[in-house]
Amino acid sequence: MSNDWTPTRRQLVKAGGLGVLPLGALGAAAAPDDLITRTVPRTNQRVPAIGLGTFMTFDTLSDRGRSRAREVVRRFWQAGGRVFDCSPLYGRSEVNLGEIAADLRINGRMFLASKIWSTGDHLWDDSHAGESLRRTAGRMSLDRPVDLMQRHSLVNVDVIVPLMHAWKKEGRVRHLGVTHHEPAYFPLLASWVERARLDFVQVHYSIHTRAAEQRVIPAAAANGTAVLVNMPLEKARLHRIVQGRPLPGFARELGIRTWSEYFLKWVISNPDVTCALPATSDPAHVAENVAAMRGSLPDAATRERMVRHMETIPGFDRIATEPWYPGKDYAGVVSRAQAAIRERSPWWPS
């Protein structure tokens, strides 16, 4: 790992699980302000509290889409972002991210979190998983271990978690974890945290979807497991219901300037959350997202006030039933495959 990830003790200011780290210590361009960072409990590595997700947003086949994704990555990196989350399941997302990272010459310094999805040809066949790991390393042009490999949505988890432990012992990955985004699976997700010596767990958590507070996040805190958060912005559904609405005065007094900061600071102000992973294809939006990892964070009373305010906004209680990415069209590999199935199948839901 590069020296970007070994700051001196004087550079770290700790307050519980929270620290602020000068941007220069993370290898970005010089900047005057500091980043909110968190420690990965099992390895003591520090990472910025806001990362970058790539589901759908980086799955593009057009030159224009790749150009926008490149600018998202450039701005994210320039602002001090270092954690990137991807998966082979996300169409062209991992390929595009790898090409962009190589072009920007950051692939050797980024903290890459990818996933294993494949199940093999039969029970306990792990050959597909090994090939998936090799493809990820190749796409990202890595000559070092993958920072984090995760079991995607608990698929074939009984086979893959022991395999990832072997990979870690062999030096092929630095951290391992499991993921899910559906609250119905959170009890099972928590059970793996409690018994599998995981470095990370990735879970759906937002100001709207707070079920992870019941068991997953407490289990992670009790077992020394870092927490990555997927869907912290509910895939643009939170922004849809606040469109055109001003921020409440108490948020502005806290220094929050955008709704993105409002939602993301709520998430990372939970001291047991390591890093939130908002996804975007809009360079302007990534600037708003990374702003959440600077400045003060709401305390427990303010977090509760933020929730109560959202509960007064029409549509907040229905977010889970609304389509992802309202008003957006990501015309990549995944969406094209979905469209092809719709055309062929009379059973596709309307």
Side-chain angles (χ1 to χ4, degrees):
M1 199 64 186
S2 75
N3 289 334
D4 295 348
W5 293 98
T6 55
T8 66
R9 291 174 63 89
R10 291 182 181 179
Q11 289 173 312
L12 300 180
V13 180
K14 296 183 180 180
L18 175 65
V20 291
L21 182 63
L23 191 59
L26 291 172
D33 46 354
D34 296 338
L35 299 179
I36 298 169
T37 66
R38 293 285 163 82
T39 300
V40 178
R42 293 193 185 277
T43 61
N44 291 322
Q45 180 165 350
R46 294 189 75 82
V47 294
I50 299 295
L52 182 65
T54 58
F55 176 68
M56 298 299 287
T57 55
F58 275 48
D59 180 21
T60 179
L61 297 165
S62 72
D63 290 341
R64 181 176 182 274
R66 283 190 290 268
S67 178
R68 285 172 62 85
R70 184 187 188 281
E71 183 62 11
V72 165
V73 172
R74 190 192 69 80
R75 293 192 187 190
F76 177 73
W77 187 268
Q78 184 81 10
R82 291 296 180 270
V83 180
F84 296 79
D85 182 75
C86 204
S87 172
L89 192 68
Y90 298 166
R92 287 280 301 181
S93 292
E94 190 168 76
V95 172
N96 287 334
L97 178 60
E99 292 175 352
I100 292 166
D103 181 49
L104 296 175
R105 300 182 180 180
I106 64 172
N107 48 309
R109 293 180 286 162
M110 61 200 297
F111 184 100
L112 175 68
S114 193
K115 304 179 183 76
I116 297 292
W117 172 264
S118 55
T119 59
D121 292 334
H122 54 78
L123 288 175
W124 295 97
D125 173 17
D126 63 13
S127 61
H128 287 235
E131 180 58 27
S132 182
L133 175 63
R134 286 188 289 273
R135 281 199 304 267
T136 291
R139 288 168 175 171
M140 303 305 299
S141 302
L142 295 178
D143 57 1
R144 58 175 177 80
V146 175
D147 295 294
L148 168 61
M149 191 57 71
Q150 304 161 97
R151 174 68 279 179
H152 199 147
S153 296
L154 298 175
V155 173
N156 207 25
V157 64
D158 299 278
V159 175
I160 301 303
V161 165
L163 178 63
M164 290 192 300
H165 273 291
W167 287 348
K168 184 177 178 181
K169 184 177 180 180
E170 295 162 1
R172 301 179 70 186
V173 303
R174 298 186 62 245
H175 305 89
L176 63 105
V178 295
T179 83
H180 219 294
H181 67 279
E182 290 286 354
Y185 289 88
F186 287 3
L188 180 59
L189 192 66
S191 73
W192 278 95
V193 173
E194 292 162 350
R195 61 193 172 93
R197 287 191 58 80
L198 302 175
D199 300 306
F200 280 84
V201 61
Q202 185 179 143
V203 65
H204 178 184
Y205 181 52
S206 74
I207 197 170
H208 172 270
T209 304
R210 304 185 295 277
E213 294 176 340
Q214 297 171 11
R215 185 175 167 193
V216 177
I217 294 176
N223 289 275
T225 300
V227 176
L228 294 179
V229 170
N230 58 51
M231 298 176 63
L233 301 177
E234 293 291 341
K235 299 196 183 300
R237 294 178 295 185
L238 282 171
H239 281 86
R240 183 189 62 80
I241 66 167
V242 298
Q243 187 172 5
R245 290 180 174 271
L247 285 164
F250 71 85
R252 292 193 297 271
E253 292 170 5
L254 190 64
I256 293 173
R257 296 161 295 178
T258 68
W259 282 109
S260 294
E261 286 187 63
Y262 186 99
F263 299 135
L264 292 172
K265 285 200 169 191
W266 185 91
V267 170
I268 66 172
S269 60
N270 183 325
D272 296 322
V273 166
T274 307
C275 180
L277 300 167
T280 184
S281 60
D282 189 326
H285 290 169
V286 80
E288 294 181 0
N289 294 347
V290 294
M293 62 182 176
R294 289 177 171 81
S296 59
L297 292 175
D299 59 18
T302 305
R303 293 182 86 242
E304 182 65 20
R305 189 177 183 185
M306 293 167 80
V307 173
R308 299 288 82 82
H309 179 78
M310 291 304 301
E311 290 175 339
T312 70
I313 295 178
F316 182 69
D317 60 337
R318 300 191 301 275
I319 278 179
T321 65
E322 297 296 320
W324 291 351
Y325 298 118
K328 299 179 185 294
D329 180 21
Y330 294 111
V333 172
V334 173
S335 61
R336 291 186 180 188
Q338 288 175 331
I341 293 174
R342 288 190 187 98
E343 292 177 0
R344 293 167 51 198
S345 174
W347 297 105
W348 190 271
S350 59

